[in-house]
């Protein structure tokens, strides 16, 4: 979807550590844009002699369409749990050979438990990162618009038209991800966020339509820059992306302060899972890569870079304080208990969800 | 001695004619038939995500059985939801307005080029073609930087003092018009320039000698004679603009409804390849009508000149 990511994707990173060693061993990885510390890939090549071909995408839909067309040529892909579940059903992935993954012992049982909803028995995937979908906001601008006691820790900020009306002038961006916004709206209405009932989805759509006039753009990656530059004052976005915006603003020292909040009513918890397609050309190298990624020091390095929590328990003591100590990244147990997960929509309901979303966005 | 020569020539001639036909067969007809076949299929959670798939291993029997599973259901679906015809209509309207604006800007450019001194023309022609040397995507991206609220255009207008508050242009239909007009302008200028340049200057001199004012000479002579170029240029802008996806996606707002975007949603968000194929087939039919008109027009011109 995003041309930015296509442009960076074209610049395939062919990371050759020592050029002479084992030329023909390679692993092809297809991951989200801005989602890894690239030195991890270089070090992997240095250590194993396996060349990494690394491409990026910025929406689950694009990844899924490629996977369903078949013959992607990738050895490792990183879909989100809800999408993974459907792809497993469609026969996209090969079961992992756990005998080749001794580092599985480092993983975090609680996260593995939650992921079983999508991947029963954790047979097809390992967790890479997990996060939440919540409120990213510009501290000064929101205060300016709504006063000192602006409800920045509540979905009221976004779902109350009187608040949004005041925020519209400084700009609001929303993820173009119906599978994340409908659960949020349902939760706010006091309904089951994982509801598959068309009538309830319709109600959520009505709620979204009341605030639609105040939304400047529905997009899943532009908000990072927009928040960091102070172009917008509120974004419904992914935790780590908002935190990246926070850091970019701090580095630029442009007078913009960005914060991320998990709304107290509860927020969506999602899991990005690494899996190996059934037709992967290099399954052995893929397993070596997965095992390498699950090393505590490697996973810690990845999280320290992208500001997302990972599913690797052993990596936690190696994390920087501003990662492990930040409740926006590693929320307290109390907050986690309040987070919800959702499952994928069956095709008929999915069509209703998409249609309602189009109707919210376009007014048609 | 003479006899074998014509046979040889005929063979060569056949081969020559075959080239475009084979090209059309491989790159147009075959893909079209595949898309058409998918449009008659049903969604499934599988690779590829539709049934039936024709497996050659199944033999003739399986092929015939699968044929029975195809249906026109997806086309009926398109008539049930007004989203689709509204998207088609809005695409045609946006493309139509853009084409008109392109003509308003393109005609004076082409006219000026054709009237400029002979020595200057290659340079001017070069300037029209020059933008193609940069990637289309990057040029459209550049417009984001120009049109956004804190962009170059607003900064300039505010610095001069024409406006106090930034104009909201990006993410609206206005931005889409600007994008299309900018991107497709050369496609209109080039054929128009070609027809204006060929125009016989002595006709205008004769008109002047006989006391016809310049504006009337333009209206009576230049405009009618340049009409084939106008029509060719307009079609070259209109046809690709109807199916345009990149420009509305990057510059348009969430409420910009165009068929390219609807098709994208159907394909990627709904994972419904059959319905999106049906949308594509209908789009093709909508576009074939102006193309056929265009062909007829071209043929008439060719006949006239012959």
């Amino acid at each position: 979807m995003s041309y930015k990511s296509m442009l960076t994707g074209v610049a395939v990173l062919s990371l050759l550590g020592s050029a002479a060693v084992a030329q023909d061993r390679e692993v092809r990885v297809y991951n989200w844009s801005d989602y890894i510390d690239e030195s991890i890939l270089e070090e992997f090549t240095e250590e194993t002699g396996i060349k990494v071909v690394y491409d990026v995408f910025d929406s689950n839909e694009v990844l899924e369409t490629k996977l369903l067309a078949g013959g992607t040529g990738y050895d490792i892909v990183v879909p989100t749990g809800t999408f993974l579940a459907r792809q497993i059903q469609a026969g996209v992935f090969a079961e992992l050979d756990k005998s080749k993954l001794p580092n599985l012992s480092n993983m975090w049982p609680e996260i593995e438990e939650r992921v079983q909803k999508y991947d029963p028995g954790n047979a097809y995937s390992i967790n890479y990162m997990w996060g939440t979908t919540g409120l990213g906001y510009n501290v000064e601008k929101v205060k300016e618009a709504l006063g000192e006691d602006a409800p920045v820790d509540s979905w009221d900020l976004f779902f109350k038209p009187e608040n949004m009306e005041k925020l519209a002038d400084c700009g609001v961006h929303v993820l173009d991800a119906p599978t994340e916004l409908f659960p949020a709206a349902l939760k706010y209405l006091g309904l089951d966020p994982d509801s598959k009932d068309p009538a309830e989805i319709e109600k959520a759509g009505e709620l979204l339509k009341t605030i639609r006039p105040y939304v400047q753009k529905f997009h899943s990656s532009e908000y990072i820059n927009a928040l960091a530059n102070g172009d917008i004052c509120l974004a419904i976005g992914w935790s780590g992306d908002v935190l990246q915006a926070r850091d970019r603003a701090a580095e630029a020292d442009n007078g913009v302060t960005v914060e991320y909040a998990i709304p107290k009513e509860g927020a969506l918890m999602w899991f990005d899972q690494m899996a190996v397609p059934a037709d992967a050309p290099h399954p052995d190298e893929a397993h070596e890569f997965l095992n390498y990624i699950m090393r505590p020091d490697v996973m810690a390095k990845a999280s320290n870079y992208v500001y997302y929590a990972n599913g690797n328990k052993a990596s936690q003591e190696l994390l920087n304080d501003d990662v492990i100590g930040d409740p926006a990244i590693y929320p307290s147990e109390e907050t986690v208990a309040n987070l919800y997960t959702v499952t994928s929509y069956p095709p008929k309901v999915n069509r209703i969800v998409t249609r309602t979303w189009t109707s919210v966005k376009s007014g048609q | 001695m003479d006899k074998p020569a014509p046979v040889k020539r005929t063979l060569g001639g056949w081969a020559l004619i075959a080239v475009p036909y084979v090209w059309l067969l491989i790159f147009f007809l075959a893909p079209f038939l595949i898309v058409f076949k998918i449009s008659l299929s049903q969604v499934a959670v599988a690779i590829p995500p539709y049934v039936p798939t024709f497996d050659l291993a199944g033999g003739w029997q399986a092929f015939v059985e699968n044929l029975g599973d195809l249906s026109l259901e997806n086309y009926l679906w398109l008539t049930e939801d007004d989203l689709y015809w509204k998207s088609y209509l809005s695409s045609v309207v946006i493309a139509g307005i853009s084409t008109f604006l392109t003509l308003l800007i393109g005609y004076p450019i082409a006219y000026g080029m054709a009237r400029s001194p002979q020595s200057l023309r290659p340079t001017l022609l070069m300037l029209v073609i020059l933008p193609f040397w940069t990637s289309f995507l990057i040029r459209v991206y550049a417009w984001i930087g120009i049109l956004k609220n804190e962009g170059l255009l607003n900064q300039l207008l505010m610095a001069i003092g024409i406006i106090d508050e930034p104009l909201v242009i990006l993410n609206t239909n206005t931005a889409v018009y600007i994008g299309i007009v900018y991107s497709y302008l050369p496609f209109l200028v080039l054929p128009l320039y070609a027809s204006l340049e060929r125009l016989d200057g002595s006709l205008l001199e004769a008109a002047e000698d006989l006391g016809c004012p310049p504006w009337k000479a333009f209206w009576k002579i230049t405009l009618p004679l340049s009409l084939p170029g106008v029509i060719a240029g307009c079609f070259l802008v209109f046809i690709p603009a109807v199916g345009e996806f990149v420009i509305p996606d990057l510059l348009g707002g969430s409420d910009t409804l165009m068929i390219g975007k609807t098709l994208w949603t159907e394909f990627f968000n709904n994972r419904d390849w059959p319905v999106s194929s049906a949308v594509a087939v209908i789009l093709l039919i909508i576009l074939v009508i102006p193309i056929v008109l265009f062909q007829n027009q071209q043929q008439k011109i060719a006949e006239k000149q012959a």
Side-chain angles (χ1 to χ4, degrees), chain A residues 81-86 88 110-123 125 192-196 268-269 271 273 339-344:
Chain A
T82 40
F83 287 77
L84 175 89
R86 187 170 42 228
I88 290 174
E110 278 174 48
I111 297 296
E112 285 187 318
E113 176 67 38
R114 284 204 178 214
V115 168
Q116 296 233 14
K117 197 169 186 174
Y118 312 108
D119 178 7
N122 301 106
S125 67
D192 176 10
D194 199 18
S195 173
K196 309 283 185 260
L268 178 73
M269 185 181 191
F271 308 88
Q273 299 289 111
L339 297 175
Y340 55 81
T341 53
V342 292
T343 53
S344 64

Side-chain angles (χ1 to χ4, degrees), chain A residues 162-180:
Chain A
E162 60 262 38
N163 289 337
M164 280 290 277
E165 202 180 345
K166 290 172 192 152
L167 293 172
D169 282 341
C170 55
V172 179
H173 277 201
V174 175
L175 287 175
D176 192 1
T179 50
E180 314 217 4

Side-chain angles (χ1 to χ4, degrees), chain B residues 17-94:
Chain B
I17 296 170
V19 172
Y21 279 98
V22 170
W23 178 275
L24 273 180
L25 192 75
I26 296 175
F27 293 108
F28 176 74
L29 199 63
F32 172 75
L33 286 177
I34 293 170
V35 169
F36 184 64
K37 189 248 132 188
I38 297 176
S39 77
L40 301 174
S41 312
Q42 277 82 44
V43 206
V45 180
I47 305 176
Y50 55 84
V51 282
T53 48
F54 289 105
D55 191 356
L56 291 176
W60 181 248
Q61 192 105 32
F63 179 80
V64 174
E65 264 172 41
N66 278 339
L67 223 50
D69 292 335
L70 298 176
S71 79
L72 287 169
E73 214 178 297
N74 296 316
Y75 290 92
L76 284 178
W77 164 260
L78 294 188
T79 61
E80 279 165 24
D81 192 334
D82 59 3
L83 172 73
Y84 301 100
W85 70 260
K86 276 184 180 162
S87 306
Y88 285 122
L89 191 70
S90 134
S91 298
V92 168
V93 169
I94 289 178

Side-chain angles (χ1 to χ4, degrees), chain B residues 105-126 128 188-202 204 218 222-223 225-226 229:
Chain B
I105 298 169
Y107 201 101
I109 295 177
Y111 188 81
M113 280 167 66
R115 288 280 161 276
S116 64
Q118 194 85 44
S119 58
L120 205 62
R121 287 184 203 174
T123 316
L124 292 174
L125 208 56
M126 197 64 214
V128 173
L188 189 127
V189 170
L190 294 178
L192 197 50
Y193 166 73
S195 73
L196 283 169
E197 202 207 11
R198 263 181 310 186
L199 200 120
D200 189 351
S202 58
L204 292 172
F218 173 82
T222 311
L223 197 62
L225 284 176
S226 66

Side-chain angles (χ1 to χ4, degrees), chain B residues 151-215:
Chain B
L152 295 174
L153 181 68
N154 275 317
Q155 279 178 6
L156 180 77
L157 291 179
M158 293 206 315
I160 305 174
I162 296 178
I163 50 171
D164 299 324
E165 275 195 12
L167 298 172
V168 180
I169 303 173
L170 192 64
N171 301 333
T172 67
N173 279 2
T174 314
V176 177
Y177 293 137
I178 294 174
I180 294 179
V181 169
Y182 164 75
S183 303
Y184 290 106
L185 195 61
F187 294 103
L188 189 127
V189 170
L190 294 178
L192 197 50
Y193 166 73
S195 73
L196 283 169
E197 202 207 11
R198 263 181 310 186
L199 200 120
D200 189 351
S202 58
L203 292 173
L204 292 172
E205 279 167 27
E208 207 185 327
D209 283 348
L210 296 170
C212 180
W215 65 267

Side-chain angles (χ1 to χ4, degrees), chain A residues 1 3-4 61-62 64-65 68-69 86 90 92 212 217-218 231 350-351 354-355 358 361-362 364, chain B residues 46-48 77 81 83 86 141 150 171 245 249-250 254 257 261 265-272:
Chain A
M1 173 69 185
Y3 300 95
K4 185 189 111 194
E61 284 79 8
V62 169
E64 181 160 86
T65 304
L68 291 180
R86 187 170 42 228
V92 168
R212 167 66 186 97
K217 187 146 195 172
F218 293 87
D231 293 342
N350 188 68
R351 178 164 275 290
T354 311
R355 183 65 185 85
T358 305
K361 285 196 297 181
S362 66
Q364 296 288 341
Chain B
I47 305 176
W77 164 260
D81 192 334
L83 172 73
K86 276 184 180 162
Y141 242 100
E150 304 79 23
N171 301 333
F245 170 74
D249 189 51
L250 287 179
S254 303
L257 202 61
K261 186 100 182 153
T265 312
E266 207 54 67
F267 194 75
F268 286 93
N269 289 49
N270 283 342
R271 287 171 294 281
D272 197 332

